[in-house]
Amino acid sequence: MKKLILAAAAAILFSGAAYADVIKIGVVGPFSGPFAIQGKNFKAGIDAYIATHGDKIGNDTIEVLYRDVPQADPAQSKALAQELVVKEHVQYLAGFYFTPDAMAVTPLLQQANVPLVVMNAATSAIVTKSPYVVRTSFTTWQTSAPMAKIARERGVEKAITVVSDYGPGVDAENAFKSTFEKEGGKVVESIRMPLSTNDFSPVMQRVRNSGAQAVFAFLPSGPTTLGFVKAYNENGLKEAGVQFLAPGDLTQESDLPALGDAALGILTTFHYAIAHDSPENRAFVEAARKAIGNPAELSFPSVGAYDGMHVIYKMIEATGGKQDAKKAVDAVKGLAWESPRGPVSIDPETRHITQNIYLREVAKGSDGTYYNKEIKTFEKQPDPGLAPAK
């Protein structure tokens, strides 16, 4: 009898709201601290989706619960995910700005019968850690490899890479280096910096001394990227003719006013720009700017969250609101739609998003605002950092 009671309790614990009329989604991200603007963008994307698509699917009402992890903290992220599953009975987990936080949660998914929709964390390997992970953001392999091709097209023969020393940074370094050297270029030095680095002058001196014609850089968007770009300018590398190349994390729209004219001409490759010209994006930007409050704070994590909600809504429709993680994930394999960023689909093998990657240049509009101007498109890019993940 005791075993039966425990089994029943476990079934209730992990069935969550299977037969309830409220379906809960737990979102973990940085909603305070130095990366709070990224959490605000998660919420803006989610709120924009609900505002335009409603908070009901059939007879079920959607409820979103938020949990704050101010900086990368795998232990805290795992604890919050457990709390959301066990105490709040969420049927879906989502969000996750930092790779280590997403990685920490993947061991929970199968037993909890809960899918995880990654709305930002960008290391390729995350989707290989559980068959219940789907990603709607990007990877640094996906956004960095095209930049290596651009560098060679523009005559760069020698480059140096500078990245933050954690999963996405290592992926960005490997993506750029392997692609650049395959195209006939040479990476003369690779520098990895601790995530806590905030004094970049010594790094800039190493870049100058390397003799490289270009520096390829990756740091997680936030205060550090702003400081890095400023250091590039203040240490005279731009004046010395050292080209600045990066994925779009380093020129997120919310940082451009602070960078000012010093950012003009910086080239980045990325999956999304607020200025992307399409009716879908114009409608999204209007809704997301209302949701975030300060339009100048809108940036790329919002579109990962918006599309993440689209995927979750499709999962809920496919399962009839019942808790079935495998059926939910299977239902979105191969799913294709027109996102604010352009045409996208979920690769049925890797469960990662296939999407256009755009070459952008920081420009200044007639109204004096700075923006990322798309000047070339790499269509239907998968994640080159992934072998098929079953």
Side-chain angles (χ1 to χ4, degrees):
M1 179 61 72
K2 186 176 180 181
K3 287 183 179 179
L4 285 174
I5 292 170
L6 288 172
I12 292 169
L13 179 65
F14 290 119
S15 66
Y19 301 102
D21 60 356
V22 175
I23 296 174
K24 295 181 180 181
I25 303 165
V27 178
V28 178
F31 297 101
S32 68
F35 297 94
I37 194 169
Q38 316 301 357
K40 286 185 72 174
N41 271 273
F42 276 170
K43 192 172 188 302
I46 291 166
D47 288 348
Y49 193 87
I50 294 173
T52 52
H53 294 81
D55 66 349
K56 289 187 179 293
I57 300 176
N59 295 322
D60 298 319
T61 300
I62 307 305
E63 181 182 354
V64 182
L65 306 178
Y66 294 92
R67 295 294 183 269
D68 181 25
V69 182
Q71 301 186 68
D73 188 335
Q76 178 69 354
S77 296
K78 185 175 183 180
L80 290 173
Q82 287 175 316
E83 181 253 328
L84 284 164
V85 169
V86 174
K87 293 185 178 179
E88 298 291 350
H89 308 301
V90 300
Q91 287 193 37
Y92 298 88
L93 288 169
F96 294 93
Y97 187 71
F98 293 105
T99 284
D101 297 346
M103 289 284 203
V105 170
T106 56
L108 306 176
L109 304 178
Q110 201 148 1
Q111 183 186 7
N113 192 25
V114 170
L116 167 60
V117 177
V118 175
M119 295 175 169
N120 187 75
T123 300
S124 292
I126 296 171
V127 294
T128 71
K129 300 305 179 183
S130 169
Y132 293 164
V133 178
V134 177
R135 179 161 38 205
T136 58
S137 52
F138 63 99
T139 69
T140 47
W141 262 96
Q142 197 174 31
T143 58
S144 299
M147 182 50 80
K149 295 180 180 180
I150 294 297
R152 290 296 293 132
E153 286 176 10
R154 292 180 173 242
V156 176
E157 296 181 359
K158 296 191 295 181
I160 183 171
T161 62
V162 181
V163 303
S164 294
D165 191 7
Y166 77 128
V170 174
D171 275 6
E173 175 192 295
N174 290 335
F176 183 87
K177 183 175 182 179
S178 63
T179 308
F180 188 67
E181 294 185 342
K182 185 179 179 182
E183 297 288 327
K186 181 180 180 182
V187 172
V188 296
E189 189 176 354
S190 294
I191 300 172
R192 296 181 183 179
M193 307 173 293
L195 269 172
S196 59
T197 302
N198 53 34
D199 178 8
F200 301 108
S201 294
V203 173
M204 296 305 163
Q205 189 59 50
R206 287 178 66 181
V207 172
R208 182 188 285 272
N209 293 343
S210 72
Q213 299 161 284
V215 54
F216 172 81
F218 172 82
L219 303 87
S221 288
T224 51
T225 51
L226 183 60
F228 188 89
V229 177
K230 283 187 172 182
Y232 164 79
N233 288 306
E234 291 169 359
N235 284 272
L237 270 69
K238 186 175 184 179
E239 291 178 358
V242 179
Q243 295 184 49
F244 188 104
L245 310 173
D249 311 73
L250 275 81
T251 61
Q252 66 171 347
E253 283 79 3
S254 54
D255 283 346
L256 293 180
L259 290 171
D261 285 354
L264 292 175
I266 289 180
L267 296 175
T268 58
T269 42
F270 217 38
H271 63 296
Y272 179 64
I274 301 296
H276 179 71
D277 186 16
S278 73
E280 291 82 7
N281 189 50
R282 285 189 287 275
F284 164 70
V285 169
E286 182 181 359
R289 281 178 169 165
K290 286 179 183 176
I292 204 166
N294 179 0
E297 292 183 332
L298 193 64
S299 187
F300 67 89
S302 61
V303 81
Y306 183 88
D307 286 335
M309 289 299 289
H310 180 72
V311 166
I312 291 172
Y313 270 47
K314 292 298 181 184
M315 288 176 168
I316 294 169
E317 289 173 5
T319 56
K322 296 180 180 178
Q323 188 153 359
D324 186 335
K326 184 179 186 303
K327 186 175 181 180
V329 171
D330 286 346
V332 299
K333 291 178 178 178
L335 179 68
W337 70 99
E338 190 68 26
S339 160
R341 71 187 94 174
V344 299
S345 62
I346 301 299
D347 186 300
E349 296 297 322
T350 66
R351 291 165 276 107
H352 175 70
I353 195 165
T354 297
Q355 59 192 327
N356 293 344
I357 300 298
Y358 305 95
L359 172 65
R360 308 104 50 82
E361 182 177 27
V362 177
K364 193 174 186 178
S366 58
D367 61 354
T369 59
Y370 301 92
Y371 68 103
N372 288 297
K373 180 182 179 181
E374 294 172 357
I375 56 179
K376 183 174 181 176
T377 303
F378 296 83
E379 294 185 346
K380 296 181 180 178
Q381 297 294 298
D383 178 11
L386 275 174
K390 302 296 184 182

